[in-house]
Amino acid sequence: MITLKGNNINLRALEPEDLEFVYAIENDEDIWEVSNTQTPYSKFLIRQYLENAHQDIYEAKQLRLAICKNDSQKAIGLIDLFDFDPRNNRAGIGIVIQNEIDRTQGFGKEALALLIDFSFTQLQLHQLFANIGVDNVSSLNLFATFGFQKIGVKKDWIHINNSYQDEAIFQLLNPNH
């Protein structure tokens, strides 16, 4: 199983013990707009998901890792590669840190750096992409830190609170390809 270690955090494979954490994240309506979730998930479905989390990225077309502080194996967030396309050597990347205090500690930045490096060196991906709401300033700044470039805007893409919001698509090309 994958474990990526940084200075302050590590990224590890999901475990059955992460059920309550993943359940809380997936059912947090405040982040549904970034996760494209439209209905709540049951614990039964999340338990089934965790039972299949051992599938590798080539089989599942996704890699979801828990973000943990180095002094604990308790998850503080999740980071994903999704829509993995091995033929075209690309994947989407997304991240969520559960609580506000942890969002200001640089854990997201470190997690993103680890997964970008893994994606480009281990998976040999040519590109990563991210879908970010145009009003999500913290995510826009985070991804810009790593050189992600805005390549387009999907107009009226996200329906929130009876209105539509734009979503930008960002891309990072592997500098070694």
Side-chain angles (χ1 to χ4, degrees), residues 142-161:
L142 174 63
F143 281 83
T145 300
F146 292 96
F148 278 78
Q149 300 290 312
K150 182 164 67 170
I151 59 170
V153 175
K154 297 177 267 184
K155 297 291 186 183
D156 290 346
W157 199 254
I158 304 167
H159 187 247
I160 303 169
N161 299 327

Side-chain angles (χ1 to χ4, degrees), residues 30-37 95-96 131 133 136 139 158 167:
D30 291 337
I31 62 170
W32 280 6
E33 65 190 71
V34 297
S35 65
N36 290 322
T37 301
I95 184 170
V96 62
N131 302 304
N136 188 342
S139 287
I158 304 167
E167 181 177 83

Side-chain angles (χ1 to χ4, degrees), residues 131-144:
N131 302 304
I132 305 171
V134 296
D135 295 332
N136 188 342
V137 176
S138 58
S139 287
L140 294 170
N141 290 336
L142 174 63
F143 281 83

Side-chain angles (χ1 to χ4, degrees), residues 60-172:
K61 306 296 184 218
Q62 172 182 335
L63 174 66
R64 175 171 273 188
L65 299 171
I67 303 168
C68 303
K69 296 176 188 176
N70 276 343
D71 60 354
S72 170
Q73 285 300 298
K74 183 177 182 235
I76 63 166
L78 300 170
I79 190 163
D80 295 13
L81 291 177
F82 61 91
D83 292 345
F84 175 65
D85 180 350
R87 182 175 187 273
N88 294 299
N89 293 317
R90 70 174 167 245
I93 190 167
I95 184 170
V96 62
I97 304 281
Q98 188 176 36
N99 82 47
E100 193 67 38
I101 294 170
D102 287 335
R103 288 185 201 140
T104 63
Q105 303 300 308
F107 300 136
K109 184 176 182 181
E110 192 171 344
L112 194 54
L114 288 169
L115 196 55
I116 290 170
D117 181 64
F118 174 81
S119 298
F120 287 165
T121 60
Q122 300 298 314
L123 296 176
Q124 293 293 303
L125 293 182
H126 175 65
Q127 61 184 289
L128 292 168
F129 66 89
N131 302 304
I132 305 171
V134 296
D135 295 332
N136 188 342
V137 176
S138 58
S139 287
L140 294 170
N141 290 336
L142 174 63
F143 281 83
T145 300
F146 292 96
F148 278 78
Q149 300 290 312
K150 182 164 67 170
I151 59 170
V153 175
K154 297 177 267 184
K155 297 291 186 183
D156 290 346
W157 199 254
I158 304 167
H159 187 247
I160 303 169
N161 299 327
N162 294 322
S163 68
Y164 290 91
Q165 295 180 5
D166 297 347
E167 181 177 83
I169 184 164
F170 288 79
Q171 179 183 50
L172 179 67

